[in-house]
Amino acid sequence: MIVSTNMSQVTDKKFQAFKKIFDEVVAEVKQFKSVCAILKTKGLDRSDFYRKIRHYGFDVSQVKLQSYRKELLQEMLDDICSYKVTRTEVAETLQTSPQYITVLLADMGIVLDSAKAKRAAHRRRIQKKYKPVLDHIEQHGGYAVDACRALGIPDHAAVLVRRVAEELDFPLDDYTFAYRRYGDWITLPKPAKPLQHKGQGKILSCRCTLCGTEHDVAYCNLAAGRSTCCLKCASVNKKNYVIECDQSTEQYSSFPKFFEAVDIGNRCKQKVKHDLRNGKAITIDGCAWRATPID
């Protein structure tokens, strides 16, 4: 009775020791390592290892690489059939050869079109080549051709950049005017809206760097310097001006009074105001007008 108990304990210890080794081998096989190489590293005999697997009733498929390769291949099947990945890329992932991937796919009844695969691989190479251009645009904004020049890429590659942007669903047009500074405005990467009744004018989404609020501002006003910040910040930092005539003592204490008294013809009031504020003289009917800031 005592002998039987001791034999049972010995058998249980041997089982637990082999189970530990088996679990370690399974863990390494899941990382696509060869069973022979694993057993050689551990100093185990291959025949004895498989004999013990059968003796203790373990599942031998758990130490077969092909099982895990087929399992992962099944997960990648959609990308493979849509030619989003090549056989070579799949083989690198599964740590095997492209030819073996072809055999596994054939076992599943899948035969790839080599012409389509080559075209897909070429398209991915083009995407990889010009993806840095899109990254540059995403960070700095501007046109595709300007980004190509900044990265030392020929101008004609801008056509391929636009094609890659479409394939990757990158909103290239949203970044055309992005990240430009106009006074205290900074333009945002958003679609430009058309400016009604102004031909080809555009309205851009901008952020006022003084207060952080976002507003839609006409591009023509930004480019001409007529708008430099939001109305709230402009009212806080507003300067008062006296508009004086160089040829006489005539003067006005505000722009509304000046425009009410002086006929500027068909000139744009915003343009006249902008020029006067920036120190330019405006000649109207032979009289030069200047604006002087006052406290």
Side-chain angles (χ1 to χ4, degrees), residues 61-182:
S61 65
Q62 290 187 339
V63 291
K64 287 187 176 180
L65 266 175
Q66 188 174 0
S67 303
Y68 298 107
R69 281 176 176 154
K70 279 189 173 182
E71 184 180 333
L72 186 56
L73 193 64
Q74 192 71 40
E75 294 176 5
M76 301 174 70
L77 212 53
D78 289 342
D79 289 341
I80 295 170
C81 293
S82 59
Y83 301 98
K84 292 181 180 179
V85 292
T86 63
R87 286 186 313 154
T88 303
E89 291 169 340
V90 175
E92 289 175 358
T93 303
L94 301 185
Q95 296 185 19
T96 185
S97 66
Q99 291 78 10
Y100 185 67
I101 296 300
T102 303
V103 172
L104 290 179
L105 290 173
D107 290 343
M108 297 178 180
I110 299 170
V111 180
L112 298 177
D113 187 327
S114 59
K116 284 185 178 179
K118 287 180 180 179
R119 287 196 296 270
H122 175 70
R123 187 170 64 250
R124 282 192 295 277
R125 284 195 296 270
I126 294 296
Q127 290 176 355
K128 184 178 180 180
K129 182 177 180 179
Y130 293 109
K131 182 64 166 60
V133 180
L134 297 182
D135 294 338
H136 183 276
I137 293 172
E138 188 174 16
Q139 186 175 358
H140 302 284
Y143 292 93
V145 66
D146 294 330
C148 288
R149 289 171 183 169
L151 297 175
I153 299 173
D155 291 0
H156 62 77
V159 177
L160 293 174
V161 172
R162 295 197 70 87
R163 186 185 303 170
V164 170
E166 291 176 4
E167 292 173 354
L168 299 179
D169 294 327
F170 181 82
L172 193 61
D173 292 335
D174 292 3
Y175 288 88
T176 300
F177 298 96
Y179 308 126
R180 298 186 184 182
R181 290 298 297 260
Y182 297 97

Side-chain angles (χ1 to χ4, degrees), residues 11-58:
T11 303
D12 187 56
K13 287 181 180 179
K14 287 183 177 180
F15 174 81
Q16 293 298 332
F18 182 76
K19 184 178 184 303
K20 182 179 179 182
I21 293 172
F22 181 79
D23 291 341
E24 290 174 356
V25 173
V26 169
E28 293 192 49
V29 169
K30 286 182 177 180
Q31 298 175 10
F32 304 108
K33 293 182 180 179
S34 167
V35 177
C36 293
I38 298 169
L39 295 177
K40 187 176 181 181
T41 304
K42 293 181 177 294
L44 299 174
D45 179 69
R46 183 174 181 274
S47 300
D48 184 57
F49 178 73
Y50 281 103
R51 183 184 62 79
K52 288 182 177 179
I53 287 177
R54 291 189 295 270
H55 175 72
Y56 290 117
F58 290 106

